[in-house]
């Protein structure tokens, strides 16, 4: 008899860390995780972990022979800066990996005559605003269907996979004699994420969390983003909540397959001010990398997440004050022994 499980890819990453903790709060959830890397020690006991590649079909087949997967949270991805340095690999991981899992979810939905849930984190990187002064300044809160012209490999990968997911949930095998049971694909577009417990690698919104963690460790930090660079952000616990809340939303309430979610919009200078207020000895300077800055400039200053609010009651628990004063600063101080 196969064991029922919730499957999480990219489990060793930042979102995986927060999501595993949150899902494990419910004892009924049996978690099965996959990543190229081992899990951080503090969450190892919460899940059955497989170290492996999501492009390894033999490994996936073996997994399916042992587990009945009800939901997949497909987090594995190369982030935006890393993807620019390794675009072929980004396409393999971000697109081929997703397609592989969508096919698996479709096959399992058919076998079990029941839609498998496929929860997919997308990103503000799917937006691309060509002329910062003319578009980013004018269009503050961007809606889901606007400015879908990414300028990064990662943004292209995410946008295409949103479309693939939607295709698998609506039209996959549409010409077959009998249309098979479809995958239940749902996606959120995340802003930059900030965690008190983990640091991102290879993203372009990393200057926010890097600034904060460096200051807490008493290390100087030179931001690769300009002081006035502005994008939306969200505290990591809200990212895990958004994924789970969307997974639990009744299907009939959902008017879209992809939703913006966000919390607060800050410039790099405003993040610096909050960091300095908490760590007065912080040595933060701005030494913009114009190439990475151009990517930041192409992302919207803020997101309109009203569709998520209307359809499934999305509201971040952490606005900017709660995020810094109640979650980030106290936990980071504890983490680095700063009082
Ligand atoms: C990145 O910077 O690549 C990510 C993202 C915005 O999706 N944090």
């Amino acid at each position: 008899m196969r064991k029922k499980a919730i499957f999480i890819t990219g489990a060793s990453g930042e979102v995986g860390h927060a999501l595993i903790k949150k899902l494990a709060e419910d004892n009924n959830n049996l978690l099965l995780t996959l990543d190229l890397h081992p899990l951080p020690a503090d969450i190892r006991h919460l899940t059955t972990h497989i170290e492996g590649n999501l492009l390894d079909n033999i490994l996936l087949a073996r997994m399916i022979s042992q587990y009945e997967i009800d939901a997949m949270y497909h987090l594995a991805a190369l982030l935006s800066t890393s993807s620019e340095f390794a675009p072929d690999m980004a396409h393999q991981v971000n697109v081929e990996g997703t397609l592989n899992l969508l096919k698996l979810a479709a096959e399992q939905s058919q076998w079990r005559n029941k839609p498998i849930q496929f929860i997919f984190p997308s990103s503000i990187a799917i937006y691309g605003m060509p002329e910062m002064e003319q578009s980013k300044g004018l269009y503050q809160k961007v809606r889901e269907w606007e400015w879908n012209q990414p300028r990064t490999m990662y943004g292209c990968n995410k946008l295409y996979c949103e479309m693939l997911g939607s295709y698998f949930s609506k039209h996959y095998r549409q010409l077959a004699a009998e249309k098979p049971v479809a995958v239940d694909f749902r996606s959120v577009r995340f802003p930059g994420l900030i965690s008190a417990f983990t640091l991102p690698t290879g993203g372009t919104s990393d200057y926010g969390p890097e600034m904060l963690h460096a200051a807490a460790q008493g290390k100087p930090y030179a931001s690769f983003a300009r002081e006035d660079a502005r994008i939306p952000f969200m505290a990591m616990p809200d990212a895990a909540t958004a994924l789970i809340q969307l997974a639990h939303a009744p299907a009939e309430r959902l008017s879209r397959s992809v939703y913006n979610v966000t919390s607060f919009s800050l410039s790099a200078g405003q993040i610096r001010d909050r960091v300095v207020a908490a760590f007065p000895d912080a040595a933060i300077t701005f030494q913009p990398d114009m190439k990475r800055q151009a990517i930041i400039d192409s992302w919207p200053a803020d997101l309109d997440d009203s569709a998520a609010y209307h359809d499934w009651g999305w509201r971040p628990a952490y606005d900017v004050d709660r995020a810094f004063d109640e979650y980030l600063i106290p936990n980071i101080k504890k983490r680095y022994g700063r009082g």
Side-chain angles (χ1 to χ4, degrees), residues 222-227 285-293:
S223 166
F224 60 82
R226 267 194 333 258
E227 190 171 348
T285 53
F286 292 90
Q287 290 171 28
D289 170 334
M290 295 325 285
K291 291 185 177 153
R292 289 178 93 184
Q293 179 63 54

Side-chain angles (χ1 to χ4, degrees), residues 79-81 122-125 154 190-193 200 202-206 231 299:
L79 295 184
S80 52
T81 295
S122 186
S123 162
I124 46 165
Y154 170 73
F190 282 138
L193 300 175
T204 312
S205 60
D206 295 5
I231 57 167
W299 292 348

Side-chain angles (χ1 to χ4, degrees), residues 89-300:
M89 185 161 89
H91 193 274
Q92 255 176 33
V93 175
N94 298 348
V95 175
E96 288 167 38
T98 304
L99 180 60
N100 219 25
L101 275 195
L102 280 168
K103 286 197 288 198
L104 186 74
E107 188 190 276
Q108 288 301 304
S109 301
Q110 232 174 310
W111 261 81
R112 295 176 56 194
N113 204 25
K114 176 180 169 240
I116 305 290
Q117 255 196 356
F118 195 101
I119 309 296
F120 182 67
S122 186
S123 162
I124 46 165
I126 71 94
Y127 296 107
M129 311 184 82
E131 297 292 336
M132 187 199 171
E133 309 76 33
Q134 282 149 38
S135 52
K136 183 160 173 162
L138 285 177
Y139 296 88
Q140 289 285 325
K141 284 190 170 251
V142 169
R143 303 295 309 263
E144 281 86 351
W145 57 88
E146 297 174 317
W147 302 104
N148 290 182
Q149 295 149 36
R151 73 172 274 157
T152 60
M153 184 63 169
Y154 170 73
C156 294
N157 295 164
K158 285 286 184 188
L159 185 58
Y160 175 56
C161 287
E162 288 179 4
M163 290 174 177
L164 267 184
S166 177
Y167 165 77
F168 267 79
S169 69
K170 294 194 187 97
H171 306 301
Y172 185 57
R173 298 260 151 88
Q174 58 191 301
L175 299 184
E178 207 173 312
K179 203 168 165 233
V181 176
V183 173
D184 180 4
F185 175 85
R186 304 174 181 199
S187 175
V188 287
R189 285 185 191 149
F190 282 138
L193 300 175
I194 312 188
S195 168
F197 304 104
T198 53
L199 268 161
T201 38
T204 312
S205 60
D206 295 5
Y207 60 90
E210 282 175 359
M211 207 181 275
L212 184 57
H213 283 256
Q217 295 170 82
K219 294 182 183 164
Y221 183 74
S223 166
F224 60 82
R226 267 194 333 258
E227 190 171 348
D228 69 338
R230 176 187 292 275
I231 57 167
F233 281 98
M234 193 157 106
M236 192 58 81
D238 275 336
T241 304
L243 292 170
I244 296 170
Q245 228 178 296
L246 178 58
H248 289 174
E252 63 277 9
R253 295 291 310 270
L254 304 183
S255 60
R256 336 179 28 82
S257 51
V258 181
Y259 290 89
N260 284 344
V261 288
T262 191
S263 181
F264 48 88
S265 164
L266 288 181
S267 69
Q270 288 170 316
I271 299 179
R272 185 262 331 267
D273 294 346
R274 286 185 177 263
V275 172
V276 170
F279 303 103
D281 58 347
I284 297 168
T285 53
F286 292 90
Q287 290 171 28
D289 170 334
M290 295 325 285
K291 291 185 177 153
R292 289 178 93 184
Q293 179 63 54
I295 294 175
I296 300 165
D297 285 342
S298 76
W299 292 348

